[in-house]
Amino acid sequence: MFLNVFDKRMEHICNIPVSKRETEEQEKVERLISKITNASNSIISIDASDIGNLFQKGKEIYAIEVTVDAGKKGRMQLLIELIKDKVKELGAFNHILVCLLFPEEKSIKMKELQSLKDWNELYPRELLLKLGLSTHPLYTIRAIVLLQQND
C-alpha cells in the first residue's frame, strides 16, 4: 500500500511507502506527513518531494512525535532524549526526517540545535537526515519524526 501525498504548492504527487500496519498507525503516518508538508510559517520547509527523495518505496515508515514545554530549561536536550528513547523502542534507522514546531515568542536558537547534531553523530554509519522548522501557536516545542531503515 502506498500513501499519496499531494503538495499543492509544488503540484507534485509522490508515493510514500506505508507497509501493512494497523489502520491506526497508517493514519498517524498520514496525519504527520500532512502536518509536515502543510506547515504554515515554515522557516525550513519540507515538501512532498523532500519526503519522496528521502524515503524509499516498499520500505516501512515509522512515525513518532514528542513535545516539551517551550519555556523549560534545557528543552532541546530533553526533546532529543525523548526522541532517542522512542527510536530505541523501534530499532535502527538511517533515513530520518525531523520537523520541529515551536512558538514564535520562544524560537529555537542555533546553539540549541547542537543537541540535534550531537544525536546525529551517535550513529556510526551513514545517516540521511532532513530537518524542517516551523512556528505554531502552541507554547510547546513539538518534534515530528519519520524514520525508515534502508540497507
Side-chain angles (χ1 to χ4, degrees):
M1 173 192 232
F2 290 93
L3 168 68
N4 289 319
V5 177
F6 179 69
D7 185 309
K8 291 180 182 176
R9 293 168 292 173
M10 303 284 291
E11 293 187 3
H12 177 76
I13 296 174
C14 67
N15 290 318
I16 305 301
V18 178
S19 69
K20 296 175 187 170
R21 287 180 274 166
E22 294 181 22
T23 304
E24 210 172 271
E25 183 64 21
Q26 288 179 355
E27 288 173 359
K28 179 180 179 181
V29 170
E30 290 175 16
R31 180 177 50 80
L32 293 177
I33 287 174
S34 178
K35 178 72 175 170
I36 291 168
T37 58
N38 294 316
S40 59
N41 302 319
S42 291
I43 296 162
I44 300 174
S45 64
I46 300 287
D47 62 25
S49 63
D50 290 322
I51 294 170
N53 291 334
L54 181 64
F55 299 119
Q56 295 179 357
K57 285 184 180 182
K59 302 273 186 163
E60 193 164 13
I61 295 175
Y62 294 87
I64 60 172
E65 54 185 329
V66 295
T67 304
V68 297
D69 185 293
K72 191 168 189 108
K73 186 176 179 177
R75 62 194 185 161
M76 282 301 291
Q77 293 90 346
L78 177 57
L79 189 79
I80 296 302
E81 287 302 316
L82 292 170
I83 292 170
K84 284 171 33 179
D85 289 346
K86 290 201 177 241
V87 169
K88 275 185 206 176
E89 294 171 13
L90 295 173
F93 298 92
N94 59 355
H95 288 209
I96 301 174
L97 183 145
V98 178
C99 183
L100 299 174
L101 298 113
F102 54 90
E104 274 187 52
E105 65 274 11
K106 283 289 193 179
S107 63
I108 296 173
K109 309 291 185 238
M110 288 300 290
K111 69 179 184 176
E112 289 182 298
L113 290 175
Q114 182 66 38
S115 298
L116 186 61
K117 182 181 178 291
D118 293 344
W119 175 56
N120 185 11
E121 290 175 354
L122 291 176
Y123 290 86
R125 60 187 188 172
E126 186 176 324
L127 174 70
L128 294 176
L129 175 76
K130 288 199 181 213
L131 174 66
L133 295 172
S134 185
T135 61
H136 71 157
L138 305 175
Y139 196 73
T140 60
I141 297 180
R142 177 181 177 197
I144 299 173
V145 184
L146 302 177
L147 310 121
Q148 187 180 63
Q149 177 59 50
N150 294 317
D151 301 323

